[in-house]
Amino acid sequence: MNHPFFKYLVLFFLILSSVFLGGCWDRQELNNLALVTAAGIDKKSDGTIELIVLTIVPKGETGQQGTSGGTSVKTFVRKATGKTLAEAMSKLQEILPRQIFWGICKVFIIDEEIAKEGIASHIDFILRYPQIRESTNIFISSVKVKKVLSLLPPLERDISEVLKELVSLKIGMDVSTKDLAEMMISESGDLGVPWIKILPPEKGKGKQTIAYITGTAIFKKDKMIGHIDDSVTRGVLWLRDEIELSTVSLKPGETDGYISLKSLNAKTELIPKIENGKWKIVFKASTENDIVQNSTPLDVSNPKVAEKLQKLLEKRIEKKVEVALNVVQKDMKADIFGFAEAFHRKYPKIWKKEKDNWDNIYPDVAVSTDINAHVRRQGMNSINPKFPKNEVKEE
């Protein structure tokens, strides 16, 4: 028994037993916590900010303010004001009988007025506060945050679930607190954050409605300078290599009907070049697509038809990118595409000299495209038994 192996074995079991027998002396009981699922800040007329939180009451407890439309989980909204977010949080705790728990907070919404003044100080607190997770999604709201958090969605438990689900569908930008921090310390420092509005409720449904993502708020540094709609945002996603779900309907030539394609695998790359003092970016993209619907009389198994569809899709992507560049690069002059990062990586010495002049260089960066779209599967032929033309007219 004096063998060293047994001594280590005994020591191992002593440590293991101490872990399991130690109990949960520091565990906080669920019924002692105010569980925050969503939060946000509004601008007050006196210059202070108002922190609003949406909390849930676990099943079996009473005293709820409202019931969500989709489940029996009880929710309520509380608010407090302060000169800073930290002060507002402290005051909020004073009026809640339970300790605020931020560990399950899914979304944080910032009022448009605050976004226009600057969000750096508020994001600083969010990043420093240990309970708020880096995966918490950030949104900019066109309406007051209190109104958004008071919504009763018809399907999900609360509005935090709605926004989290919409983000997961990749219909717009997906920006967490970590993503936002990385953009703020990037070479350009410009930001793009999901922009939300409230969907008007149906007649007779009361407050049963949702907030939905309807574009992107654009920031120069930490100040919001405007917003773009869904269509322009799609071009932004292409440039940022964040396209995951995309379905487009194309009309080949003068043929009746449309052919719809679903993108299954899209990859994009920004290739920077500095030639003769001119700064350029090559946008290189490749995408594989399946035909999911054919309402035309065309035989999509015909290679000529497939080739024409690929060209049309390449033109569609090029147009999306062109529109995004015209609005965001030329008009807003905000680099949310990562151009600065691309040049910094490839030309570190030149970048070091020209970094402070980037705001003047960026709007004039010439962008060319190299897009390759491929129709991978044609699916079943049209149910129309007649194919009067086995090819498509050139536009």
Side-chain angles (χ1 to χ4, degrees):
M1 291 293 290
N2 291 326
H3 194 280
F5 169 80
F6 292 104
K7 291 182 180 179
Y8 289 123
L9 187 63
V10 171
L11 180 61
F12 170 77
F13 279 110
L14 285 174
I15 295 173
L16 192 65
S17 62
S18 67
V19 171
F20 285 103
L21 295 175
C24 300
W25 59 271
D26 62 342
R27 183 172 68 90
Q28 294 174 305
E29 295 294 336
L30 191 62
N31 58 6
N32 291 330
L33 300 175
L35 306 175
V36 176
T37 62
I41 47 177
D42 280 331
K43 177 70 182 294
K44 298 284 288 182
S45 59
D46 60 0
T48 60
I49 63 169
E50 185 172 66
L51 171 64
I52 307 99
V53 296
L54 175 66
T55 64
I56 60 171
V57 178
K59 289 183 178 181
E61 297 191 35
T62 58
Q64 71 276 13
Q65 175 173 304
T67 304
S68 65
T71 70
S72 61
V73 175
K74 314 304 186 296
T75 65
F76 64 92
V77 175
R78 290 293 183 268
K79 59 182 180 177
T81 60
K83 298 181 182 67
T84 65
L85 185 52
E87 181 182 342
M89 186 181 290
S90 178
K91 290 184 177 180
L92 184 66
Q93 184 61 80
E94 292 176 5
I95 63 174
L96 284 173
R98 299 185 180 189
Q99 183 174 347
I100 301 174
F101 180 71
W102 293 84
I104 62 170
C105 182
K106 297 180 178 67
V107 304
F108 198 96
I109 306 170
I110 300 173
D111 173 38
E112 178 185 0
E113 290 185 58
I114 292 177
K116 289 179 178 178
E117 293 181 352
I119 61 174
S121 62
H122 308 302
I123 299 302
D124 177 82
F125 176 79
I126 292 172
L127 292 171
R128 290 175 186 274
Y129 197 73
Q131 280 191 11
I132 301 178
R133 297 182 179 182
E134 291 182 342
S135 59
T136 300
N137 282 98
I138 305 294
F139 300 90
I140 307 299
S141 176
S142 62
V143 297
K144 289 297 182 182
V145 174
K146 181 182 177 183
K147 187 174 182 180
V148 175
L149 295 185
S150 299
L151 297 175
L152 298 177
L155 293 177
E156 303 297 340
R157 180 189 66 192
D158 57 47
I159 198 63
S160 70
E161 295 284 349
V162 172
L163 292 174
K164 200 70 176 179
E165 289 294 329
L166 289 175
V167 165
S168 69
L169 294 175
K170 303 299 180 182
I171 58 177
M173 288 190 66
D174 178 356
V175 178
S176 66
T177 55
K178 179 182 178 182
D179 297 329
L180 192 63
E182 290 175 349
M183 284 191 280
M184 293 180 76
I185 63 173
S186 68
E187 294 299 331
S188 71
D190 298 338
L191 317 172
V193 186
W195 172 258
I196 60 175
K197 290 183 178 181
I198 293 179
L199 187 69
E202 296 181 14
K203 291 183 179 180
K205 296 294 184 179
K207 290 185 178 181
Q208 285 198 346
T209 185
I210 63 170
Y212 66 107
I213 300 171
T214 182
T216 306
I218 306 299
F219 288 72
K220 281 291 291 179
K221 308 307 179 187
D222 75 319
K223 292 181 172 61
M224 178 180 164
I225 59 172
H227 69 275
I228 57 178
D229 62 20
D230 290 329
S231 180
V232 180
T233 297
R234 299 303 289 178
V236 171
L237 294 178
W238 276 107
L239 284 157
R240 290 174 57 89
D241 192 22
E242 294 178 2
I243 283 287
E244 290 192 18
L245 295 175
S246 176
T247 301
V248 297
S249 296
L250 303 175
K251 186 176 179 62
E254 299 176 358
T255 307
D256 292 333
Y258 292 86
I259 297 177
S260 297
L261 301 98
K262 181 178 181 181
S263 177
L264 301 176
N265 186 21
K267 297 291 183 183
T268 67
E269 182 183 5
L270 298 177
I271 303 173
K273 293 182 179 181
I274 300 179
E275 298 174 342
N276 300 320
K278 295 186 180 296
W279 296 54
K280 305 175 183 179
I281 285 282
V282 177
F283 168 72
K284 189 173 183 179
S286 63
T287 174
E288 295 181 349
N289 306 267
D290 279 359
I291 294 176
V292 293
Q293 185 175 357
N294 177 19
S295 63
T296 73
L298 297 173
D299 180 2
V300 293
S301 64
N302 185 328
K304 290 185 178 180
V305 176
E307 183 180 353
K308 181 62 176 178
L309 287 173
Q310 289 170 177
K311 290 181 179 180
L312 287 174
L313 184 56
E314 289 167 1
K315 289 181 180 179
R316 176 70 65 88
I317 296 171
E318 183 179 7
K319 184 63 177 178
K320 287 286 184 184
V321 168
E322 181 182 329
V323 170
L325 290 169
N326 286 336
V327 175
V328 182
Q329 181 195 14
K330 301 299 183 182
D331 295 342
M332 295 183 166
K333 297 178 174 54
D335 178 15
I336 65 172
F337 309 121
F339 286 6
E341 295 287 340
F343 281 110
H344 180 214
R345 285 193 299 267
K346 188 169 182 179
Y347 302 100
K349 292 183 179 179
I350 297 177
W351 178 257
K352 187 176 181 180
K353 294 178 181 178
E354 299 291 347
K355 179 180 179 179
D356 293 338
N357 195 35
W358 177 242
D359 283 345
N360 295 322
I361 295 172
Y362 170 68
D364 295 323
V365 173
V367 181
S368 59
T369 60
D370 179 7
I371 303 171
N372 181 19
H374 177 63
V375 177
R376 191 172 69 173
R377 287 193 294 262
Q378 291 82 28
M380 296 181 64
N381 286 337
S382 171
I383 59 174
N384 187 346
K386 296 181 180 180
F387 293 97
K389 294 180 182 179
N390 208 24
E391 58 183 35
V392 62
K393 287 183 179 180
E394 294 292 330
E395 292 182 334

